[in-house]
């Protein structure tokens, strides 16, 4: 195996998916690839089929394609948590990491065995939040867990000078409750004249523009490990109201974020209405939200944590092999699973 001059030996290969619409999980993988390459590593995104290449993945992200790929003895293979099947090792002998972006999906592919996932050698685990770190350290005590926090792009997600009175949310995780909430907000006289926007399969640039011109973001997270849309809304200067989804509770420590008890749409409505009525006095809080999230989740912090996680993973054994892309096991998740939709 050869590497480009000046790069560290051994590639780092992320197995991802070319989803038709923007996928937060795959996007975070592309951010890792960029940060690692900036740090002198030979990092790649591996997609199963070149015909599935999607137009939302940046052109600057180097890619490998194919149902299988060779993994060298010095390489590190990074795999998503969801299609992890007990006893089905995608790369026997290779040095592996499970990049777990949602601890609630850890066992999505079936009941785990005693020595989960039953791979050889056993993988390390990377997670994106403190909650995930603590949960998986308890659930998988035999595997080393490293916290690699998500970065927040403060250049893309920034406030605009718009005077639009706008409230927005993503309905994907709670579609039935979202439809009910929209009816409640639209029928409330306190919110007369407020633009209500549902973000459905919107391109990332459109999401950023909508958040930039919104006063309030309603968090409808469910079984979250972190909740990147909440972090991006804070960066855009939104006030945040809603559900932390479990793993996203650390984001609700922001000065302008209000956690609502789960499945209480009337409480959501009332908090949104109260904030919109007080909006003129909350400009400093919105600015404080942006400072708070960018101070805690800069790219530099992610890059440093990623370097530490890679160094620790490289200490683990590895051998040359042929890896099977985890798309081979997506059918174990059932037809209604939407993690990669």
């Amino acid at each position: 195996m050869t590497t480009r001059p000046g790069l560290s030996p051994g590639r780092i290969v992320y197995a991802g998916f070319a989803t038709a619409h923007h996928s937060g999980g795959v996007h975070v993988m592309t951010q890792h690839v960029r940060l690692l390459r900036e740090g002198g590593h030979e990092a790649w995104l591996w997609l199963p089929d070149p015909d599935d290449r999607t137009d939302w993945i940046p052109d600057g992200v180097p890619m490998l394609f194919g149902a299988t790929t060779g993994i060298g003895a010095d390489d590190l293979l990074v795999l998503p948590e969801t299609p992890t099947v007990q006893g089905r090792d995608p790369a026997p002998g290779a040095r592996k990491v499970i990049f777990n972006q949602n601890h609630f999906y850890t066992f999505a592919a079936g009941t785990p065995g005693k020595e989960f996932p039953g791979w050889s050698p056993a993988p390390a685990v990377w997670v994106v939040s403190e909650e995930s770190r603590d949960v998986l350290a308890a659930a998988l005590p035999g595997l080393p867990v490293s916290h690699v926090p998500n970065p927040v792009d403060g250049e893309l997600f920034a406030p605009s000078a718009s005077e639009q009175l706008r409230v927005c949310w993503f309905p994907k995780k709670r579609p039935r409750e979202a439809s009910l909430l929209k009816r409640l907000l639209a029928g409330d006289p306190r919110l007369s004249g407020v633009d209500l926007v549902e973000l459905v399969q919107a391109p990332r640039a459109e999401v950023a523009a909508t958040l930039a011109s919104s006063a309030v973001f309603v968090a409808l997270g469910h079984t979250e490990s972190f909740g990147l849309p909440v972090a991006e809304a804070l960066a855009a200067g939104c006030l945040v109201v809603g559900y932390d989804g479990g793993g996203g509770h650390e984001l609700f420590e922001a000065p302008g974020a209000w956690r609502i008890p789960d499945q209480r749409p009337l409480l959501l409505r009332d908090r949104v209405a109260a904030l919109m009525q007080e909006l003129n006095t909350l400009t400093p809080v919105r600015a404080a939200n942006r400072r708070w999230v960018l101070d805690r989740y800069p790219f530099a912090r992610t890059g440093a944590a990623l370097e530490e996680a890679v160094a620790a993973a490289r200490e683990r054994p590895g051998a040359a092999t042929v890896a099977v892309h985890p798309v081979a096991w997506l059918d174990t998740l059932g037809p209604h699973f939407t993690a990669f939709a």
Side-chain angles (χ1 to χ4, degrees), residues 49 93 105 124 185 200 204 212 260 273 287:
D49 187 343
Y105 296 165
L185 294 174
V200 180
R204 189 165 170 79
I260 301 297

Side-chain angles (χ1 to χ4, degrees), residues 14-17 22-32 45 78-84 97-106 125-129 131-133 136 146 148-151 173 222-228 245 247-248 339-340:
Y14 282 74
F17 299 88
H22 182 270
S23 162
V26 180
H27 179 77
V28 172
M29 287 185 173
T30 68
Q31 290 177 316
H32 278 208
L45 180 66
V78 183
L79 299 146
E81 81 286 348
T82 309
T84 300
V97 167
I98 297 174
F99 183 24
N100 191 306
Q101 296 192 64
N102 194 321
H103 55 267
F104 291 106
Y105 296 165
T106 301
V125 178
W126 296 349
V127 299
V128 296
S129 70
E131 177 75 4
S132 277
R133 178 197 61 203
L136 292 181
S146 296
V148 182
N150 280 329
K173 290 290 186 77
H222 185 270
T223 56
E224 303 285 354
S225 228
F226 179 70
L228 193 55
F340 303 108

Side-chain angles (χ1 to χ4, degrees), residues 26-336:
V26 180
H27 179 77
V28 172
M29 287 185 173
T30 68
Q31 290 177 316
H32 278 208
V33 168
R34 180 176 63 80
L35 288 168
L36 287 167
R37 292 182 76 87
E38 289 174 357
H41 299 275
E42 188 79 34
W44 299 81
L45 180 66
W46 174 24
L47 301 178
D49 187 343
D51 292 336
D52 289 339
R53 175 162 182 161
T54 183
D55 60 3
W56 64 261
I57 295 178
D59 290 336
V61 176
M63 298 186 192
L64 304 172
F65 296 97
T68 64
T69 194
I71 296 294
D74 293 326
D75 291 349
L76 175 62
L77 177 61
V78 183
L79 299 146
E81 81 286 348
T82 309
T84 300
V85 182
Q86 178 73 35
R88 296 190 192 178
D89 192 336
R95 181 181 297 104
K96 297 177 285 286
V97 167
I98 297 174
F99 183 24
N100 191 306
Q101 296 192 64
N102 194 321
H103 55 267
F104 291 106
Y105 296 165
T106 301
F107 306 131
T111 303
K114 184 177 181 180
E115 299 298 331
F116 180 83
W119 297 353
S120 179
V125 178
W126 296 349
V127 299
V128 296
S129 70
E130 295 174 358
E131 177 75 4
S132 277
R133 178 197 61 203
D134 296 343
V135 168
L136 292 181
L140 305 172
L143 302 180
V145 179
S146 296
H147 177 204
V148 182
N150 280 329
V152 177
D153 188 342
E155 293 186 6
L156 179 60
F157 293 92
S160 73
S162 171
E163 298 299 322
Q164 177 70 50
L165 295 177
R166 175 173 290 160
V167 176
C168 68
W169 63 88
F170 289 94
K172 180 179 178 180
K173 290 290 186 77
R174 297 174 184 256
R176 290 184 294 277
E177 185 170 353
S179 63
L180 178 62
L181 176 67
K182 185 174 183 179
R183 178 71 173 243
L184 291 171
L185 294 174
D188 193 313
R190 294 172 294 180
L191 295 170
S192 176
V194 174
D195 189 25
L196 305 175
V197 178
E198 285 189 316
L199 291 160
V200 180
Q201 296 180 342
R204 189 165 170 79
E206 180 182 331
V207 171
T210 301
L211 290 173
S213 60
S214 296
V216 175
F217 176 74
V218 180
L220 295 180
H222 185 270
T223 56
E224 303 285 354
S225 228
F226 179 70
L228 193 55
V230 172
E232 291 168 345
L234 293 171
C238 295
L239 304 169
V240 173
V241 178
Y243 310 137
D244 64 26
H249 64 80
E250 65 187 68
L251 294 171
F252 280 78
E253 296 173 8
W258 287 265
R259 184 185 291 104
I260 301 297
D262 206 45
Q263 296 177 323
R264 297 294 302 278
L266 287 177
L267 295 182
L268 273 178
R269 179 203 63 182
D270 290 344
R271 175 60 70 177
V272 169
L275 290 175
M276 294 303 293
Q277 291 177 320
E278 301 167 10
L279 202 55
N280 290 339
T281 67
L282 294 173
T283 299
V285 181
R286 297 172 67 180
N289 270 357
R290 176 171 169 82
R291 291 193 301 272
W292 183 93
V293 76
L294 295 183
D295 283 348
R296 283 160 179 78
Y297 304 100
F299 280 93
R301 181 187 177 199
T302 303
L306 195 52
E307 289 287 348
E308 291 183 9
V310 167
R314 287 204 181 280
E315 295 296 320
R316 299 174 71 77
T321 191
V322 174
V324 176
H325 194 280
V327 72
W329 292 286
L330 283 184
D331 60 354
T332 66
L333 304 179
H336 304 297

